[in-house]
Amino acid sequence: GAGVSQSPSNKVTEKGKDVELRCDPISGHTALYWYRQSLGQGLEFLIYFQGNSAPDKSGLPSDRFSAERTGGSVSTLTIQRTQQEDSAVYLCASSSRGYEQYFGPGTRLTVT
Amino acid sequence: GNSVTQMEGPVTLSEEAFLTINCTYTATGYPSLFWYVQYPGEGLQLLLKATKADDKGSNKGFEATYRKETTSFHLEKGSVQVSDSAVYFCALITSGGSYIPTFGRGTSLIVHP
């Protein structure tokens, strides 16, 4: 079946612009996660959605970052007023039982 | 809180060499343990998992045993191939909590022909 998909695969934006990153999870997966991976670094947790519960936003680095999940499926991560330090690969993952995660290929964001 | 510590990389091996990547953890509660692999330019893929003490996870020739007494989950492979070159992440998740996994920093493996 289809895996987790993310779009765009690459995004180049100018400093100060807003960007939206999209994640389509595996159908039926109730949990959805966003992570950030900077060059040569590990995974930084950003936000977690579980079903209809309020999301866990504890990993968002600033109020410029926000995310929503519509209809328990597709999720959008929005970064406002992008800064150069936001340049990274943004990974989305979904899970059916909150255990093993299925990752998308990521969106590489470059802020110039 | 939870934490995962992996050996620093890169680990550089010749083809057919034996691989060990060390992973130790601390956890509040009873964790499930995972190894993920990330090939260049891709997202992470689940490699193997173990959900209780003394369980052995295995896949594609890789193995790891859940050792509660040493709080470890070391990844091993008897004979590596060039195609195993990737970054390997150890991770845990504890039940009854928020289901947000804790990842190690990743260990890069480079296998030369």
Side-chain angles (χ1 to χ4, degrees):
Chain A
V4 177
S5 61
Q6 293 187 243
S7 60
S9 55
N10 282 283
K11 176 72 176 179
V12 180
T13 190
E14 293 180 352
K15 177 181 173 181
K17 300 284 189 182
D18 298 352
V19 295
E20 287 188 351
L21 312 180
R22 177 186 169 103
C23 172
D24 283 88
I26 292 173
S27 178
H29 279 192
T30 58
L32 187 147
Y33 305 77
W34 282 99
Y35 298 92
R36 179 167 69 176
Q37 187 175 32
S38 301
L39 187 62
Q41 300 297 308
L43 294 176
E44 177 186 5
F45 164 75
L46 297 178
I47 188 168
Y48 162 54
F49 296 88
Q50 174 58 57
N52 295 320
S53 302
D56 185 324
K57 305 178 182 180
S58 60
L60 294 178
S62 77
D63 59 8
R64 296 186 296 105
F65 289 72
S66 62
E68 62 178 22
R69 188 179 185 191
T70 54
S73 181
V74 172
S75 178
T76 302
L77 177 69
T78 301
I79 308 173
Q80 296 178 311
R81 305 180 301 282
T82 51
Q83 304 295 313
Q84 288 188 329
E85 61 263 28
D86 299 334
S87 295
V89 175
Y90 290 81
L91 292 168
C92 175
S94 69
S95 175
S96 64
R97 296 175 295 138
Y99 284 92
E100 58 263 39
Q101 305 210 322
Y102 295 83
F103 284 80
T107 294
R108 181 175 298 279
L109 175 67
T110 304
V111 182
T112 61
Chain B
N2 298 338
S3 69
V4 175
T5 303
Q6 291 182 234
M7 59 190 293
E8 295 262 342
V11 173
T12 304
L13 296 172
S14 297
E15 205 163 27
E16 300 183 1
F18 185 86
L19 168 71
T20 300
I21 300 178
N22 291 337
C23 171
T24 58
Y25 66 89
T26 59
T28 54
Y30 201 101
S32 293
L33 302 173
F34 306 86
W35 278 101
Y36 288 86
V37 58
Q38 185 177 33
Y39 298 103
E42 299 183 9
L44 280 71
Q45 304 174 25
L46 178 67
L47 180 60
L48 53 84
K49 66 178 181 181
T51 58
K52 62 182 187 294
D54 299 325
D55 270 1
K56 178 185 285 187
S58 60
N59 186 27
K60 299 181 181 180
F62 291 89
E63 294 182 339
T65 301
Y66 188 143
R67 301 288 189 199
K68 187 178 179 183
E69 64 276 14
T70 54
T71 61
S72 65
F73 193 54
H74 304 321
L75 182 68
E76 297 181 335
K77 186 174 185 182
S79 176
V80 293
Q81 306 299 311
V82 172
S83 57
D84 294 328
S85 299
V87 180
Y88 292 81
F89 291 89
C90 185
L92 69 82
I93 197 162
T94 49
S95 60
S98 64
Y99 293 103
I100 297 171
T102 300
F103 285 88
R105 293 179 59 85
T107 302
S108 175
L109 170 65
I110 301 169
V111 181
H112 294 294

